[in-house]
Amino acid sequence: MDISKYDVICIGGGGAGVEAAVTAASLGARVAVITKDPVGYGNTRISGGRMLLPGLAEDDNSELFYQELIAVGQYLNRKDLTEILST
């Protein structure tokens, strides 16, 4: 059995996991990313357009975006931070 040693292990290959891995690696850490999907394939790719181009749909508003973020986060989100992000 091969045993690998890492300084940082990032669980999840979405935007936050990849950003954490890149930052740690740029500081010289040996980094592993563990993800069930291809790197960068998480919900970040879906929500990115919504955050960059709000108002594309007529019914688009910050409350709807908040509710979608909470649902996508499986109701585990910190509601205070989700509210800040969605406004």
Side-chain angles (χ1 to χ4, degrees):
M1 169 168 46
D2 290 332
I3 297 177
S4 299
K5 295 183 181 183
Y6 299 97
D7 300 309
V8 175
I9 298 173
C10 296
I11 309 298
V18 170
E19 179 66 25
V22 168
T23 300
S26 72
L27 295 172
R30 289 176 37 109
V31 179
V33 177
I34 300 172
T35 178
K36 66 183 182 330
D37 296 315
V39 172
Y41 193 77
N43 287 332
T44 304
R45 67 184 170 80
I46 298 168
S47 64
R50 181 75 186 245
M51 292 175 66
L52 293 173
L53 300 167
L56 288 177
E58 287 185 27
D59 63 345
D60 224 2
N61 61 60
S62 60
E63 178 60 27
L64 177 62
F65 187 39
Y66 172 83
Q67 294 300 330
E68 289 175 351
L69 287 172
I70 293 293
V72 168
Q74 298 179 347
Y75 303 91
L76 299 173
N77 319 49
R78 278 192 46 189
K79 291 177 180 46
D80 58 334
L81 296 179
T82 305
E83 185 173 348
I84 291 168
L85 179 64
S86 66
T87 57

